[in-house]
Amino acid sequence: MVLESTIVCVDNSDYMRNGDFIPTRLQAQQDAVNLICHSKTRSNPENNVGLLTLASCEVLLTLTADVGRVLTKLHQVQPKGSMRFLNGIRIAHLALKHRQGKNHKMRIIVFVGSPIDEDEKELVKAAKRLKKEKVNVDIVNFGEENANTEKLTALVNALNGKEGTSSHLVTVPPGPVLSDALLSSPIFVGEDGATAVPGMGSGGYEFGVDPNEDPELALALRVSMEEQRARQEEDARKAAVDSAAEGTVTPAATNEEALLEQAIAMSMNPDGSSVDPTPVASDPTMLTEEEQIALAMQMSLQNSASSTAQNTPAPMETDDLGLAGAEKQEEEEDYSEVMNDPEFLQSVIENLPGVDPQSEAVRSAMGSLTKKDDSKKDNNEKDK
C-alpha cells in the first residue's frame, strides 16, 4: 500500500454558486472531497490529507489523518473572488515539503470549476518544475470544461512525460453527480483496480454500473432504489399504525371486562338467574381457559343462588293476610284522624290559591265531612 500525503485544492470562486451541478457546484465539490479524503485515509492509516482554497490561496488545514477536521474546515468555505490556479499549486507544493513523513509520496488534487486565467506556457513550465520535485497532480475539471480542457491536458501531459501515468485529468460534464462520476476515475481506483470507498462493489461501481458509460441506467437504478426504500418505509409505517389500532384492547383485558360484566349482571338479578353477555359454546372443550373459568364461576353462582332460594322457608298465607289487614286498618285510622281535624282542614284551605275559606260552598263541604265522621264514630261505638 502506497504511503502518500495529499493536499486537496478546492475552488471557492464565485463560479461555485452556479447550479448546473446539484445542488450547487460548491456543495457537489464538498461531497467529492469528502469521498476523496475517506478513500485516502482508508487505503493506508498513515496517509495524511490537507486542505487549501484556490481563490484566497489559504491553507485551511495542514496535513492530518483526522478526516473530521478536514470536513469541518471544508464546510466553512464560502464562494468569493476569482480562482488563482498557479499560486494555489505553488502553495500546495510548499505545504507538501513540510510533511512529517519524508518517505510519503506527494500528491495534489485540484478541483477546477472556473476559467483559468494563466496561459498554457506558464502551466507547462510549472508542470515541469513539479515533475522534477516528484509531485503528482490529479485535476478534476468540471463546470467550465470547454474553456479549461485544452490547458489542463497540456499540464497533465507535461507532468506525466512520455511514459508516466501517475497524474490524471478527469473531466466531468454537467448532468451526473460529481462524486458518483469520480468513483470510477483513477483518482479513486488504486493500482490494483480496487477502491477504498465503503459500500462500493467490485470495480468501485455502485449497482455494478459505470456512470460514465451509462449515466441514464445508473440514475434509473438509483431512483428505483430510493423509491423502493420509500415504499418499504411507508408500508412499515402503515403496519405500525394498524397494529397499534388493533392492539388497543388486549385479549386479557377483553376477558377481564367480560367477567366484570357477567358479575354485574348476576348481582343485578335478585332471582339468581344469570345474564351472559357472551354466547356460551355448546362444547366446553372448544372454549379458552379464561372462558372455561368464567363458565364454571357462572354455574357455581347459579347453583348457590337456587339452593338458597329453596332452603328459605316460605311464610304462611294467613300471616301475610293478617299483617296486610292490620297495616291497612292503621293507615285508614290515621287518615280519618287527620281529616276529622277541623283546624288542619281550615289551614289547608286557607293556603290554597284562589279559594275563599269564608264562602258558603266551602263551609257546607266542611260541615258535611264533619257529619259523616260523626256518624262513623257512632256506628263504631254501637258495634263495640
Side-chain angles (χ1 to χ4, degrees):
M1 301 176 70
V2 179
L3 292 175
E4 197 171 57
S5 294
T6 305
I7 293 291
V8 180
C9 302
V10 295
D11 188 352
N12 63 328
S13 64
D14 290 331
Y15 282 84
M16 294 297 102
R17 303 180 190 273
N18 293 346
D20 49 355
F21 286 86
I22 299 175
T24 62
R25 290 184 184 181
L26 181 63
Q27 295 182 15
Q29 179 182 231
Q30 290 174 349
D31 295 339
V33 172
N34 182 13
L35 286 177
I36 288 175
C37 293
H38 280 94
S39 175
K40 293 297 182 181
T41 54
R42 291 180 182 180
S43 62
N44 195 318
E46 296 183 9
N47 287 350
N48 297 322
V49 181
L51 190 63
L52 179 143
T53 58
L54 291 177
S56 57
C57 293
E58 178 185 0
V59 178
L60 297 180
L61 188 67
T62 56
L63 294 171
T64 179
D66 188 356
V67 180
R69 294 177 58 193
V70 178
L71 299 181
T72 301
K73 292 292 185 179
L74 177 64
H75 285 84
Q76 296 175 359
V77 175
Q78 297 297 327
K80 60 178 180 179
S82 58
M83 180 183 67
R84 294 183 289 174
F85 181 78
L86 282 182
N87 288 341
I89 295 293
R90 294 189 185 102
I91 294 174
H93 182 206
L94 291 176
L96 287 173
K97 282 185 175 180
H98 293 84
R99 66 191 185 280
Q100 292 181 352
K102 297 300 180 181
N103 57 338
H104 286 202
K105 292 185 176 181
M106 296 181 289
R107 182 175 295 275
I108 302 173
I109 298 178
V110 187
F111 284 83
V112 180
S114 55
I116 299 176
D117 296 333
E118 293 84 357
D119 58 11
E120 185 176 336
K121 292 182 180 180
E122 294 180 357
L123 296 179
V124 172
K125 184 178 180 180
K128 291 180 178 179
R129 189 180 300 111
L130 292 173
K131 181 182 178 182
K132 185 178 180 180
E133 296 289 339
K134 297 181 179 180
V135 178
N136 299 322
V137 179
D138 292 334
I139 301 175
V140 180
N141 181 24
F142 68 103
E144 303 294 332
E145 66 277 0
N146 294 330
N148 297 331
T149 301
E150 185 177 354
K151 295 180 180 180
L152 295 176
T153 301
L155 173 65
V156 173
N157 290 336
L159 284 167
N160 288 329
K162 296 181 179 180
E163 298 179 356
T165 57
S166 57
S167 298
H168 310 92
L169 172 63
V170 179
T171 301
V172 183
V177 180
L178 181 60
S179 57
D180 293 346
L182 294 178
L183 288 175
S184 58
S185 66
I187 297 177
F188 281 91
V189 180
E191 297 178 357
D192 55 353
T195 177
V197 180
M200 297 294 105
S202 60
Y205 301 141
E206 188 178 11
F207 308 115
V209 178
D210 185 0
N212 291 329
E213 295 181 358
D214 198 346
E216 295 180 357
L217 178 58
L219 179 61
L221 290 173
R222 186 177 298 105
V223 171
S224 177
M225 180 64 70
E226 292 177 356
E227 290 178 352
Q228 179 67 16
R229 187 181 296 110
R231 194 180 301 111
Q232 291 176 355
E233 292 177 356
E234 182 67 18
D235 293 342
R237 186 184 65 80
K238 289 182 179 179
V241 172
D242 294 340
S243 62
E246 294 176 358
T248 52
V249 180
T250 59
T254 305
N255 294 333
E256 291 179 0
E257 291 177 359
L259 294 175
L260 181 59
E261 291 178 0
Q262 182 180 353
I264 293 174
M266 294 175 65
S267 65
M268 296 295 293
N269 252 353
D271 56 352
S273 62
S274 64
V275 179
D276 193 359
T278 57
V280 180
S282 58
D283 189 3
T285 59
M286 300 298 293
L287 302 176
T288 62
E289 184 178 355
E290 291 80 2
E291 293 175 348
Q292 291 180 3
I293 294 173
L295 180 60
M297 292 174 61
Q298 176 183 348
M299 295 174 65
S300 175
L301 291 174
Q302 285 179 354
N303 295 333
S304 61
S306 59
S307 61
T308 304
Q310 291 176 2
N311 295 332
T312 303
M316 297 179 63
E317 295 182 358
T318 55
D319 295 343
D320 292 342
L321 294 175
L323 292 173
E327 291 177 357
K328 187 175 182 181
Q329 184 176 1
E330 289 178 359
E331 290 178 358
E332 289 180 353
E333 289 179 357
D334 294 340
Y335 179 72
S336 61
E337 289 179 359
V338 172
M339 294 303 295
N340 291 332
D341 189 357
E343 294 180 359
F344 174 73
L345 293 175
Q346 185 68 22
S347 62
V348 171
I349 292 172
E350 290 177 354
N351 293 328
L352 291 175
V355 179
D356 186 8
Q358 303 299 329
S359 64
E360 295 181 359
V362 174
R363 288 181 178 180
S364 61
M366 291 183 63
S368 62
L369 289 173
T370 305
K371 290 179 181 180
K372 289 180 181 180
D373 294 336
D374 292 340
S375 61
K376 287 181 180 180
K377 289 182 180 180
D378 294 339
N379 293 332
N380 291 336
E381 289 176 359
K382 289 180 181 180
D383 293 338
K384 292 180 181 179

